Structures are given as C-alpha cells and as structure tokens.
Amino acid sequence: MSVMRQKMADSIRFLAADMVQAANSGHPGAPMGLADIAVVLSEHLNHNPKNPEWLNRDRLVFSGGHATGLIYSLYYLWGYGLEIEDLKNFRQLDSLTPGHPEFGHTKGIEITTGPLGQGVANAVGFSMASKFVANQVNSETAALIDHNVYCLCGDGDLEEGLSYEACSIAGHNKLDNLILIYDSNKITIEGSTELSISENIRMRFESQGWDVLEIDGHDFEEIDTAIATAKANTKPTIIIANTLIAKGAGKLEGSHHAHGAPLGDDVIKEAKIKAGFDASKTFHVDADVMARFRVAIEEGDLCEREWNHRQKTLPLMEQNEALTALQNPDFSRIDYPVFEKAEATRGTNGKIMNAIARGIPSFLGGSADLSPSNKTNLNDMGIFPKGRNIYFGIREHAMASITNAMALYGPLMPFSATFFVFSDYLKPAARIAALTGIQQFFIWTHDSIGVGEDGPTHQPIEHLSQFRALPNFYVWRPADGAENIEAWKTALTMTKSPSAFVCSRQNLAVLPHAVRGEASQGGYLLSSDEGATITLMASGSEVALALKVKETLNAKDVAVNVVSVPCYDLFIEQDASYMKSIIKENTKTVAIEAARGLEWYRLADTVIAMDTFGASAPAGQLFEKFGFSVDSIIKKIN
Ligand SMILES: Cc1ncc(C[n+]2csc(CCOP(=O)(O)OP(=O)(O)O)c2C)c(N)n1
C-alpha cells in the first residue's frame, strides 16, 4: 500500500516540478511538500469529478493558491477533464491552468485563491453554509447535507490576520465538519519562519476552540489516522502536518529557494532517478498510478447516486421541499414596501431586506457588530446556524470572505454589512467577489460626511471611487426608498456580480417621482426643463440638493436637468443613445457628490466633490462647510 502511495505522491511531485520547469515560473515547493498528504486526502475525499457541482460533495479549498502545480495535477489525475496538454500549458495565455486557481475557469476549483488567508476564511464560509442548509433540510433521522470541508493552508495563511478572525468564528460556531490541514514546512519566501513568527500554533488553535492534531506530513499512516480522527470530531480540527518544502527535490529539499522558482532540469532529473522514475520522461504518469487516482470517477458517481437515492426516500420528502425552496428563489414572492416619508436609506434598505428575507428563504447574512446601525437585522428570522441572522463579530475581512464562500456554496444568497468606511477592512474579499463573479450583497451604511459627529475616521471619502474602479462590482447609492427598491430588484438579477448598497445615516426626502424603472439603467433623468442649459448629476443624498439648486436656478430663468445616478457603474455601461437621451448635448454638465468624485470627470465638466477628509460636527454643518449648499454650488457652476 505505502509503496503505491509513494509512487502516487512522487508522480504528483514530478508533474508539478515539470509544470513549473516548462513554464519557467511557478511554485514547486508546496506541491512537492504536500504530495503525500494529497494522496491520502484523495482516499477520504467524497467528490464526483463528473459532476463538480454535486451539492453534498466535500469542499476542498487550497488556501495557498500558489500551489497550482499540485492543484492542477490533482484535477488532472482525478479526471475533472484537464488533459496533460493543459498541464504543459501551465501559466500560458488562455490556458485552463492559470498561475493561481480561478473559480469558474478550471473545473473543480471551489473558489479563487492566491491572496493568502482568504482560503481559510472561505473554508469557514463553506462550512457555515453547510451548517445552515443542513439545519433547514436534515432531520434527526435523515441527513441530506453531511459532507466535510477540507482546507490546505501554509505558514503564510496562518500569519495573515484574516486566519485569526476566521478560525475564531469557526471555533465559536463549533464547525465540526471543518478540517484544516496546515503544511507546516516553516518556510516562506524570505526564508525560515523563525524570522517572523514564534507563537505556539497548537495553543492558538486550542484557545480558539479547535481540536489540534500534529503529525509527520510525510507518513501516510499518520496522515490517514489524523484525517479519520478529524472527520469524527465534534469541533473544527487543525492537523499540523510537519513537512519539508520541496520534499524529494534533492539539494533543494527544505530550502526557501524551492518556494517560487523552477528547480532546474538537473535537480528534477536527479530527483526522478532517486525516486526510481524514468528521468528521460517529463509529464509522465504510469498507468497504475493513473488508475488509482481515476477511481475517483467511479467512486464519485456511486456516492452521488447513493445520495440521489437517499433524496428520493420517503422520510426525506419534507426536507427535499425545503431544499427545493432554497434552490429556487421566487422573486415574485417579495412584497416590497412603499416609502412615503423622509427616511435614511439605511432604514429603507433594512425594510427592503426584511421584505426580501420574508419572500426568499435563502437570503441570510449579518453585520460586523453594527446591525443596529446598519439596520440589517432580519426580524423574527432567528440566529445562525438555525436562523438567518449571522453574528460575525468585528471581523470584516472574515465576514466578506465567508459570505463569498456561502454564495458559491449553491443555494444561498448572503449579505454582509458594516459602515462604508470600514469596507477598507474587507476590500480584498470584495475584489475576489468581483473577479470571480460572486453574487453577494454588501450593505455599507453611513455613506459620507453625513455621518456627522463621529468625524473623519468614520466618514468615507475615497471609497465610492475605489469601488467604482473595481470591474464587475456594482455600487448603488440610492437617493430615496423608491430608488433603493429598484437597486435591489436589479441587483437580485445580477447573479454573476457583487452589488453594494451604500446608504445614508441621515434622513433623505422622498423624491418627486413614482418608482422609476430607469434606475435599473444606473442613471436617469429625474427632472427636466425644456431648453435646459445645465445638467446636474448626483447620487444619494446629493440628489435632493441638486433638485434644490435647480429650483433656485429656475427662479432665475435658468433651465436645468437633474440626473439621478444611483449606480454609476451601470450608468456608464449604457449605450450612447441612452446616454445622449439623459445627458443632453450642449448642456453644461456638473456632478455633485459628497465624496472624492474623480470618476465623474468622465461625464462632467465640473465636479463638486470632497478634496479633503471630513470633520467632526453635525452633518448639516459639514455639508455647508464642504461646499454642499445651494449657494456654494451655484457659485461653482457660474
Ligand atoms: C496576502 C498575500 N500576501 C503576499 C502574498 C505573496 N506570497 C505568495 S506565497 C508567499 C509565502 C507563503 O509561504 P507559505 O504559506 O509557507 O508557502 P510555502 O512557502 O510553503 O509554499 C507569499 C508571501 C500573497 N500571495 N498573498
């Protein structure tokens, strides 16, 4: 048995080494160090290479996304459809094997990783998603959802602050199906981890409520026993696997020089000879090794068929209905509120979210300890894992990485919430959501200097520009409740994009319009005059201000159009004829926004925006001070 396992592990090692050598770029060290673990993990993993979307599969996250030599070798060997040619094209243009694993690009990849630490939080998210769905669909006697979540991580992942946040949440929630395998090779790019970290990982995880196992990560029996123990555990488990980076790579074994550079032909040849492989062959896998790995296809098919059978048995009928309801959100069941009086958009947004939650059983989420301010509590919906309100604690980065994974889990529509200014703390996860095309909803309230007395630390200035610069990310800043509803209606249909709802702390007047479908195009003509010479564009709280400016100018016989732009990103995607119908030619274009505003120069001649940080004072005084008053704006237009 162990002779075969050794041959399988060495086959992975040399595929990875050959890939990096051929590409003349990549990371051979981690794949070679993890190869033994990967072989044993293959024996435990329940998955179906022919149906990577099977709901009850074990989830496998590679938090060290740089280990693509290992990842693609495994998906090739397991039979996910990658061919040897794809491995030869590693890191090349348009290949199926890019530098870091990309969800939706290569079959089997559960989530895009590369920014260290995020994968650990994603694994926590997959586990949390499974716990919620299991609570909805399992009964005491029958389980539809009973899979495990595995995550491979390295020193870098555990040095990242994000892993502390995420593992703390995992321990607190007793995520017993979560198994973190820590590739403890004590090497990062710059050298030994002794240079930068000296804490006791065992004690750290124990204090976070985890079970800790420690093994020799090159001993097949120890790996096997540890994984079996972890599967049976009632807590999340970390397996500290002591390994050698680039195991089997001769003089480079254990060296940080093997982390991220080709090993060199000579080293690879010597290593192959030492392992009893034919050194003249590259990208080669013996038939017996291939056959052993490809067992995954038959076993996976059997697993899924057994599960399908389970699903059809009588005691599960009710659970099946619950699962079907989660999987098929019916948006016609949402009874949207009507807003008739001035209200902060954080308030209207909270009411809309509650309406959505009442109609859509898969809608769930939480805030980083700000739900009373964000207005995101889902009333009468209970607390996670049974209910739909998740208490993330003050852990924004983990929160958004967790909701990324929850969204990819399958049947769930998650949201996460915080103050807009603290979106900084979760930006890396928002970026992955946009890059990957994950539909999750970011609720970001307290959207401008309108925050008032809390002062400049709490007043977002550059954030709208930052998130509008992110491709495939849609930032909504509604001007009132009706626009807020349009924003949600549009965002719910955008299943391949994250959407953010940037909402005011302060009350905003109801605009003089009925619910306007045009908001779904990002921007629309809210109020227009025959022969207008000026077009005012604004979002959120500045729309009402623009209307007041128009009123004053109208009194001076100046004709003005006001364009409300609840979603700048969508607006600039509209075709030229739509844009021309909204921003009339030969009008002086002016954008008004209590934010940095740099992106408005694409649409406007004059931009009235924030050039500095805000200040601590009542919001009304701040709008005056920073030039967001009718008089000040009219002066700037002239
Ligand atoms: C957030 C983040 N910072 C920096 C990097 C660059 N980086 C990639 S791998 C790595 C070292 C990781 O060390 P370890 O996890 O021990 O991996 P190993 O050396 O075992 O391959 C660094 C700093 C990154 N990918 N993500």
Side-chain angles (χ1 to χ4, degrees):
M1 180 71 161
S2 74
V3 173
M4 191 60 205
R5 279 170 165 171
Q6 188 63 51
K7 190 175 174 189
M8 292 165 80
D10 287 338
S11 300
I12 292 175
R13 286 193 170 94
F14 298 132
L15 279 179
D18 287 344
M19 286 163 70
V20 175
Q21 197 63 32
N24 197 24
S25 120
H27 302 79
M32 296 182 81
L34 278 164
D36 299 316
I37 289 168
V39 167
V40 181
L41 185 58
S42 289
E43 296 164 16
H44 285 271
L45 201 67
N46 277 329
H47 61 137
N48 185 358
K50 293 295 164 217
N51 180 13
E53 289 174 14
W54 171 41
L55 185 60
N56 197 39
R57 70 190 181 278
D58 287 340
R59 302 304 193 273
L60 173 57
V61 181
F62 297 90
S63 194
H66 60 281
T68 24
L70 170 74
I71 302 168
Y72 299 139
S73 296
L74 283 173
Y75 286 107
Y76 161 64
L77 293 166
W78 285 332
Y80 273 80
L82 280 184
E83 301 295 342
I84 202 76
E85 282 308 308
D86 298 313
L87 302 195
K88 289 181 182 169
N89 276 327
F90 181 46
R91 294 185 153 231
Q92 304 309 304
L93 191 64
D94 296 332
S95 75
L96 285 174
T97 48
H100 289 82
E102 296 176 21
F103 170 81
H105 187 83
T106 314
K107 271 201 188 125
I109 303 297
E110 296 285 5
I111 196 156
T112 298
T113 51
L116 294 170
Q118 283 205 47
V120 173
N122 298 147
V124 174
F126 282 130
S127 172
M128 286 174 70
S130 73
K131 292 296 170 195
F132 177 78
V133 177
N135 274 317
Q136 306 299 306
V137 308
N138 290 358
S139 73
E140 295 213 337
T141 51
L144 268 186
I145 300 297
D146 57 0
H147 64 80
N148 290 306
V149 179
Y150 295 94
C151 177
L152 297 180
C153 77
D155 301 301
D157 294 293
L158 294 195
E159 285 188 357
E160 285 292 346
L162 173 56
S163 69
Y164 290 75
E165 293 180 16
C167 293
S168 171
I169 295 177
H172 179 74
N173 283 290
K174 300 186 175 57
L175 301 176
D176 59 0
N177 66 343
L178 179 61
I179 301 169
L180 185 58
I181 303 179
Y182 166 32
D183 176 26
S184 175
N185 60 25
K186 301 182 179 66
I187 292 286
T188 61
I189 290 177
E190 293 182 341
S192 163
T193 50
E194 279 174 15
L195 294 166
S196 58
I197 188 167
S198 45
E199 74 207 34
N200 184 319
I201 296 284
R202 169 182 286 277
M203 286 166 72
R204 166 181 157 187
F205 274 84
E206 278 173 355
S207 74
Q208 288 190 319
W210 288 57
D211 193 27
V212 182
L213 307 173
E214 187 159 0
I215 57 165
D216 172 350
H218 301 302
D219 181 314
F220 295 114
E221 294 305 324
E222 284 192 30
I223 302 167
D224 191 25
T225 308
I227 295 179
T229 308
K231 285 200 309 198
N233 253 344
T234 52
K235 293 175 179 180
T237 304
I238 178 169
I239 301 172
I240 302 174
N242 293 307
T243 59
L244 278 170
I245 193 166
K247 169 90 167 126
K251 63 180 183 194
L252 287 175
E253 186 176 278
S255 162
H256 69 277
H257 295 296
H259 163 89
L263 300 175
D265 285 326
D266 292 348
V267 171
I268 297 176
K269 270 192 185 138
E270 260 178 51
K272 284 182 181 169
I273 291 167
K274 196 164 171 224
F277 278 52
D278 183 344
S280 67
K281 290 183 181 164
T282 56
F283 292 100
H284 176 77
V285 178
D286 271 355
D288 54 350
V289 168
M290 194 58 136
R292 280 294 182 112
F293 278 112
R294 289 277 159 107
V295 164
I297 297 178
E298 206 172 312
E299 282 183 358
D301 184 52
L302 268 176
C303 266
E304 185 173 351
R305 273 200 276 160
E306 182 273 329
W307 188 76
N308 287 338
H309 177 72
R310 225 194 296 171
Q311 222 182 340
K312 282 188 199 122
T313 56
L314 272 179
L316 281 169
M317 290 312 280
E318 258 180 44
Q319 289 99 302
N320 276 329
E321 277 166 31
L323 184 59
T324 309
L326 285 179
Q327 286 173 320
N328 300 289
D330 176 0
F331 298 139
S332 71
R333 293 190 51 197
I334 304 170
D335 186 11
Y336 286 102
V338 177
F339 300 111
E340 283 166 342
K341 60 177 189 352
E343 188 169 358
T345 46
R346 63 174 165 148
T348 57
N349 196 62
K351 288 174 184 158
I352 296 166
M353 287 174 66
N354 270 279
I356 294 172
R358 284 190 293 273
I360 307 293
S362 55
F363 188 74
L364 82 170
S367 166
D369 199 44
L370 287 170
S371 61
S373 301
N374 299 144
K375 309 284 181 202
T376 46
N377 190 58
L378 302 179
N379 302 324
D380 307 320
M381 297 274 169
I383 297 176
F384 174 87
K386 291 212 163 105
R388 291 198 254 161
N389 289 290
I390 304 174
Y391 289 88
F392 286 108
I394 306 125
R395 305 179 180 103
E396 293 82 5
H397 197 175
M399 169 175 70
S401 309
I402 285 169
T403 39
N404 270 348
M406 291 183 106
L408 288 186
Y409 183 72
L412 302 180
M413 301 183 76
F415 69 85
S416 64
T418 185
F419 285 157
F420 191 25
V421 79
F422 300 135
S423 60
D424 285 339
Y425 276 54
L426 55 71
K427 164 76 180 4
R431 187 172 190 278
I432 288 290
L435 169 69
T436 316
I438 297 176
Q439 186 185 37
Q440 78 144 303
F441 308 105
F442 295 95
I443 316 301
W444 293 333
T445 69
H446 298 61
D447 69 340
S448 69
I449 50 172
V451 165
E453 294 83 347
D454 270 346
T457 54
H458 284 52
Q459 292 163 358
I461 300 295
E462 73 281 20
H463 300 72
L464 279 172
S465 298
Q466 169 175 301
F467 284 101
R468 284 172 180 157
L470 202 52
N472 192 36
F473 193 94
Y474 293 87
V475 185
W476 292 89
R477 188 171 182 246
D480 71 353
E483 274 193 7
N484 203 168
I485 290 173
E486 288 305 311
W488 272 102
K489 282 185 178 168
T490 312
L492 286 172
T493 65
M494 298 175 75
T495 56
K496 299 279 179 234
S497 307
S499 301
F501 298 84
V502 174
C503 300
S504 72
R505 172 188 181 229
Q506 73 279 23
N507 280 351
L508 304 184
V510 173
L511 296 179
H513 64 72
V515 175
R516 299 285 293 251
E518 298 101 310
S520 66
Q521 275 152 296
Y524 64 98
L525 208 46
L526 173 65
S527 174
S528 59
D529 290 338
E530 189 74 30
T533 54
I534 296 173
T535 297
L536 300 177
M537 291 176 267
S539 76
S541 45
E542 287 71 72
V543 176
L545 179 60
L547 287 173
K548 281 191 193 142
V549 171
K550 172 179 154 71
E551 220 175 88
T552 308
L553 288 172
N554 281 170
K556 295 177 185 165
D557 286 335
V558 182
V560 178
N561 286 348
V562 173
V563 176
S564 180
V565 186
C567 184
Y568 175 94
D569 314 281
L570 257 184
F571 191 40
I572 58 170
E573 281 177 13
Q574 302 306 314
D575 62 27
S577 71
Y578 182 78
M579 292 306 264
K580 270 192 186 162
S581 73
I582 305 298
I583 306 174
K584 305 283 184 204
E585 268 173 346
N586 302 322
T587 58
K588 183 181 166 86
T589 47
V590 180
I592 310 167
E593 199 170 63
R596 197 74 180 98
L598 300 177
E599 63 281 13
W600 282 105
Y601 286 103
R602 183 166 172 170
L603 299 176
D605 308 319
T606 302
V607 177
I608 299 170
M610 292 290 296
D611 296 326
T612 64
F613 289 107
S616 169
Q621 291 177 24
L622 292 176
F623 279 102
E624 282 281 336
K625 176 182 162 60
F626 290 104
F628 297 95
S629 65
V630 172
D631 287 349
S632 171
I633 289 167
I634 289 178
K635 265 190 215 137
K636 282 182 189 147
I637 295 175
N638 290 326

